[in-house]
Amino acid sequence: MFIKNKLFYLFILSFFVSCTIQNSDSSLSGINNDIDSLKNIYAPDTRIALWNILIEDNENKVTITAEVDNEKAKADLLKTLSSKYPDIDLTVNLLPEKKTNSMALVNNSVCNIRDEACHSAELVNQVLLGKPVKLLKKEDGWYLIQTPNQYIGWVKSSEIVRFDSTSLKEYKTTKKIIFNKQYGFSYTLPDSKSQIVTDLVVGCILPVIGNKKKFYKVKYPDNRVAFVKKDEVVDIDLFINKKPEENGLVNTAKKFIGIPYLWGGSSSKSIDCSGFTSNIYFLNGIIIQRDASQQVKYGKEITTSYDYTDLLPGDLLFIGRRANDSLPEKVTHVIMYIGDSEFIHASSTFGNVKINSMDSTRANYFPGYVSSFIKTIRIIGEENGSTIEKITNNKFYKTIISE
């Protein structure tokens, strides 16, 4: 009788444990589904929207810690999960914290952005000296930042300088120049034979604090003082008000010929395909998205045929895999048409920025994209949105450029 009762007890216990595990699994499945649904609304592309969710299931107690950069996303996460799963331990943090100024300036000629807070992590982007970035959070000597084209990643805290609201207001009204050569230097004295302070690449921004004959006296975000040649820079006001035109885009692109290819590169030191195209447009007054798979989604579609008949210089051509019954479209490369059947691209195949032709009769014809061509997009004339915008309309640059 005792044995039978014990067996019955064990059966009942195992039944409840089994039900508890199944209910826990069921709850986790529902939680994940609800989180994925909200992610599709608020962060379909986590390269440009913060959506960090950690779910832990310990001793039948589910703990969720979330980080987002959107107030509505925070509110919806709290409302949806709290109402449907009242027993969970839920924390949703909105970044950056509103009580602190979140803007900073890049302090190196080229600052590497990685997908994790360590030097061995993948290089996903670069951002240049003097450009404004938003600080989302700090962790072990690294900052999670967002760039003017919304891209998110990690940089060493030593490579950027945080500005308080007073300093930023003063900086905004200071005359600024942008470096206009592919590569060069700043100097300790108004003399190119004096000690170099740093290297500079095209697109670097510096404020002017004085004049000395053929040099501007400039100041770095960390207060270092240097001199740059006047004939190697342009006034930022002239630069940001550029209107993208065919000749301007082509001339800008050709200055990059021969620069080495680097995955994640976005500077004239080294560059990848989409870093190249985004740089071309930035240097002509327009901000577009960082990656080729992002750039293909915006602008005006011109053709899905690998044919240059209707193309204009500045059009972007996307390469990859077309969608089919079993697989979605996948963009892996972007090139820019420059006229007369030719295109320019930062090519991993050739190892640098190079011009090739779409015409099979030309000596520089490259057949590699014929079978993998997806579509052509035109940016010119489409620069009034949130993902293709004039520099003057960008909220990051508005913090450093006077009206």
Side-chain angles (χ1 to χ4, degrees):
M1 185 69 176
F2 173 76
I3 294 175
K4 288 182 179 179
N5 286 340
K6 185 176 180 181
L7 291 172
F8 177 73
Y9 171 76
L10 290 173
F11 171 75
I12 295 297
L13 180 62
S14 65
F15 173 78
F16 280 112
V17 170
S18 175
C19 288
T20 301
I21 292 172
Q22 289 175 3
N23 287 338
S24 175
D25 290 344
S26 176
S27 295
L28 284 175
S29 177
I31 289 170
N32 279 310
N33 287 338
D34 286 329
I35 288 174
D36 285 344
S37 295
L38 291 172
K39 178 180 179 293
N40 289 335
I41 297 172
Y42 294 108
D45 186 347
T46 53
R47 291 168 293 185
I48 60 174
L50 184 64
W51 189 267
N52 293 333
I53 311 288
L54 175 63
I55 303 175
E56 297 178 291
D57 186 11
N58 298 316
E59 298 179 356
N60 299 320
K61 179 70 172 179
V62 176
T63 300
I64 301 176
T65 305
E67 292 177 334
V68 297
D69 59 353
N70 184 300
E71 289 187 13
K72 290 184 178 179
K74 176 181 178 179
D76 262 8
L77 274 169
L78 289 170
K79 180 180 178 181
T80 300
L81 299 182
S82 297
S83 62
K84 294 182 71 172
Y85 313 99
D87 294 332
I88 64 173
D89 183 2
L90 175 63
T91 302
V92 182
N93 297 314
L94 179 66
L95 299 180
E97 297 177 2
K98 288 186 175 180
K99 293 181 181 180
T100 60
N101 178 57
S102 61
M103 295 306 296
L105 295 178
V106 177
N107 197 45
N108 277 348
S109 62
V110 178
C111 176
N112 292 328
I113 301 177
R114 302 190 180 275
D115 68 349
E116 295 179 21
C118 63
H119 285 294
S120 59
E122 180 185 356
L123 177 68
V124 294
N125 197 7
Q126 293 176 326
V127 63
L128 308 184
L129 173 69
K131 291 195 176 184
V133 296
K134 181 191 288 187
L135 307 180
L136 298 176
K137 71 172 182 176
K138 190 175 184 181
E139 184 178 290
D140 298 327
W142 292 76
Y143 269 117
L144 183 65
I145 68 163
Q146 187 171 41
T147 64
N149 62 0
Q150 304 177 50
Y151 215 87
I152 294 173
W154 291 92
V155 300
K156 282 296 292 181
S157 57
S158 58
E159 295 192 78
I160 56 177
V161 175
R162 192 169 197 157
F163 273 48
D164 59 34
S165 53
T166 302
S167 299
L168 197 61
K169 186 176 181 180
E170 180 182 341
Y171 181 83
K172 183 174 181 177
T173 58
T174 304
K175 172 184 171 67
K176 285 172 281 291
I177 50 90
I178 188 162
F179 197 70
N180 199 37
K181 284 187 64 179
Q182 298 308 96
Y183 194 71
F185 303 96
S186 65
Y187 306 93
T188 54
L189 299 171
D191 181 353
S192 59
K193 295 180 180 179
S194 64
Q195 176 62 48
I196 292 170
V197 176
T198 72
D199 69 333
L200 296 168
V201 299
V202 62
C204 286
I205 298 170
L206 283 163
V208 175
I209 59 172
N211 260 302
K212 192 70 174 179
K213 296 182 179 179
K214 296 181 179 181
F215 288 80
Y216 282 125
K217 188 177 184 181
V218 297
K219 185 166 73 171
Y220 284 71
D222 64 357
N223 292 320
R224 285 175 295 171
V225 173
F227 291 87
V228 295
K229 294 180 180 179
K230 289 182 179 179
D231 61 4
E232 294 182 349
V233 304
V234 294
D235 190 287
I236 198 167
D237 291 332
L238 297 175
F239 167 79
I240 63 173
N241 287 299
K242 272 188 177 181
K243 183 178 180 180
E245 298 176 345
E246 295 175 14
N247 288 339
L249 293 167
V250 173
N251 290 337
T252 299
K254 287 183 176 180
K255 291 179 181 179
F256 285 80
I257 289 176
I259 287 177
Y261 178 92
L262 175 68
W263 177 273
S266 190
S267 73
S268 56
K269 286 184 179 181
S270 52
I271 204 161
D272 67 17
C273 66
S274 55
F276 177 49
T277 51
S278 61
N279 248 289
I280 294 169
Y281 273 92
F282 174 77
L283 295 170
N284 285 272
I286 298 296
I287 293 174
I288 63 176
Q289 294 288 280
R290 165 64 178 89
D291 290 344
S293 59
Q294 297 170 313
Q295 294 172 8
V296 73
K297 297 177 182 178
Y298 309 103
K300 180 181 179 181
E301 184 177 306
I302 302 302
T303 180
T304 56
S305 299
Y306 192 68
D307 182 2
Y308 56 88
T309 305
D310 297 322
L311 302 189
L312 296 177
D315 287 348
L316 301 183
L317 288 71
F318 294 90
I319 314 300
R321 180 188 66 211
R322 287 178 179 265
N324 56 46
D325 293 339
S326 58
L327 294 170
E329 177 182 282
K330 183 179 181 180
V331 172
T332 59
H333 190 51
V334 58
I335 64 183
M336 191 183 88
Y337 187 70
I338 60 173
D340 192 28
S341 85
E342 292 187 324
F343 61 86
I344 189 168
H345 57 147
S347 167
S348 60
T349 300
F350 297 106
N352 55 28
V353 177
K354 184 178 177 64
I355 292 176
N356 287 105
S357 176
M358 301 170 70
D359 184 346
S360 60
T361 66
R362 299 285 183 91
N364 61 342
Y365 172 65
F366 180 62
Y369 301 149
V370 177
S371 61
S372 56
F373 176 76
I374 296 175
K375 68 176 68 172
T376 296
I377 294 293
R378 184 164 297 158
I379 302 295
I380 294 178
E382 306 295 322
E383 57 269 21
N384 291 314
S386 59
T387 49
I388 299 175
E389 60 181 350
K390 298 176 181 178
I391 294 175
T392 49
N393 293 337
N394 181 267
K395 61 183 180 181
F396 287 66
Y397 283 101
K398 282 184 176 182
T399 64
I400 69 165
I401 298 171
S402 57
E403 301 295 333

